[in-house]
Amino acid sequence: MESAYGYIKISPLREQIIQGLLKEYYLVDDSIHAREHSVEGIVPFLQYYNRKVEIIPILIPNMPVDSMQLLTKNLADAIQAVLASQKLKWGEDIAIVISNDAVHYGDEDWGGKIMLFSEAIL
């Protein structure tokens, strides 16, 4: 994805996080990213302070609470395992930035899966 400060890189940590996820509960798809645009409003602010910033864009679709609990626990565990293996610290090496307006993207064709965007479109 290009912003006012150039293209933003997708972190290679994404692939490591994906390895820790339950395969039936996530989807990597650049066509859905083409319709979703919440990241484009955040990227320029991140790049303003750090031109070398890398991101891992993740969308969580609408789903029943029990599914949300399972998927978010799996995602949190996968992220924590990668951070521990890389000796990364919250607030120093990595942060979470959230856009949660939840009104401008749908979950059609996602099948209730967590969306990790394809590097091809970003």
Side-chain angles (χ1 to χ4, degrees):
M1 177 177 136
E2 189 171 8
S3 81
Y5 300 106
Y7 285 92
I8 190 159
K9 183 178 178 188
I10 302 301
S11 172
L13 295 176
R14 183 187 72 167
E15 297 308 316
Q16 295 175 40
I17 292 169
I18 286 173
Q19 291 175 11
L21 296 176
L22 300 168
K23 294 188 184 332
E24 62 272 18
Y25 293 120
Y26 74 87
L27 177 66
V28 177
D29 187 316
D30 57 351
S31 68
I32 292 175
H33 175 72
R35 295 189 309 254
E36 207 298 309
H37 59 271
S38 64
V39 175
E40 68 192 29
I42 296 170
V43 166
F45 291 97
L46 298 175
Q47 288 181 312
Y48 178 81
Y49 291 101
N50 180 355
R51 297 295 201 279
K52 295 181 181 180
V53 70
E54 298 176 357
I55 64 171
I56 304 170
I58 300 173
L59 283 175
I60 309 292
N62 183 27
M63 66 182 72
V65 172
D66 57 334
S67 296
M68 181 71 74
Q69 290 171 341
L70 170 71
L71 296 179
T72 54
K73 171 98 172 80
N74 180 228
L75 178 60
D77 290 346
I79 292 171
Q80 187 57 41
V82 169
L83 297 184
S85 73
Q86 299 293 318
K87 297 182 173 55
L88 298 173
K89 295 181 181 176
W90 287 107
E92 293 179 25
D93 304 308
I94 193 164
I96 294 177
V97 178
I98 298 171
S99 169
N100 67 349
D101 60 11
V103 297
H104 62 278
Y105 69 88
D107 58 0
E108 302 84 24
D109 303 321
W110 296 25
K113 298 178 180 180
I114 293 173
M115 175 62 57
L116 294 123
F117 292 129
S118 169
E119 197 165 341
I121 198 87
L122 292 172

